[in-house]
Amino acid sequence: MPPITPALWFDNNLAEAAEFYTSVFPNSSVEYINDVSATLVLDGHRFVGINGGPAFAFTEAVSFMVGCRDQDEVDFYWDRLVDGGEESRCGWLKDRFGLSWQIVPDRLLELMSDPNPARAQAAAQAMFGMRKIVIADLEAAVASV
């Protein structure tokens, strides 16, 4: 199968976006950039950016999920990506360019897959009340079941 590469449309701020994203994610670089387009690699994942102007805006219909090993990683990516953007719910945020991200600890997925439906439901309910996901709060909610 040929590679699938996300292409992102920016409002004439592609160079700023490329610099920002490559500063957030490890093992990242800008492979190519000019006034119209760029190719960047974010921790091994290739993206194309286009300086298309204000004709189209990002929506929550497309988001990128960052799977995090622990709370330190959640905090790291959340704090950097939300800077200049806005928090949403359930681990979602919009960055300063309007692109939506889901910052999801692996532990959330484990808890929501618990074979005990009451424990899985408790994890989901706890997540619904959060903006940034806090693993200790998820575990406390599940422990109370």
Side-chain angles (χ1 to χ4, degrees):
M1 180 173 145
I4 297 171
T5 304
L8 305 173
W9 183 292
F10 291 91
D11 184 7
N12 296 316
N13 53 4
L14 175 58
E16 178 187 350
E19 182 179 328
F20 173 70
Y21 295 130
T22 56
S23 76
V24 170
F25 294 95
N27 307 311
S28 297
S29 63
V30 175
E31 290 185 334
Y32 169 84
I33 192 164
N34 66 26
D35 291 340
V36 177
S37 66
T39 302
L40 25 147
V41 176
L42 304 179
D43 201 18
H45 301 279
R46 180 169 276 111
F47 290 78
V48 170
I50 302 165
N51 252 341
F56 302 105
F58 294 121
T59 73
E60 291 85 354
V62 173
S63 64
F64 293 99
M65 188 171 115
V66 180
C68 300
R69 290 183 308 260
D70 55 31
Q71 192 65 50
D72 287 341
E73 278 195 355
V74 169
D75 296 344
F76 176 87
Y77 288 109
W78 182 272
D79 294 345
R80 279 153 187 81
L81 289 168
V82 81
D83 183 27
E86 64 185 73
E87 296 181 353
S88 188
R89 298 181 57 195
C90 305
W92 286 57
L93 63 88
K94 281 188 182 180
D95 68 25
R96 65 182 74 171
F97 304 101
L99 188 59
S100 292
W101 297 86
Q102 299 175 56
I103 311 303
V104 180
D106 296 340
R107 187 67 178 135
L108 171 63
L109 303 177
E110 292 167 4
L111 292 170
M112 290 180 61
S113 299
D114 192 297
N116 178 334
R119 290 172 53 87
Q121 181 66 26
Q125 288 300 316
M127 177 201 61
F128 293 145
M130 296 180 188
R131 290 187 179 273
K132 175 173 69 173
I133 304 298
V134 177
I135 297 169
D137 293 348
L138 293 172
E139 290 177 339
V142 170
S144 68
V145 174

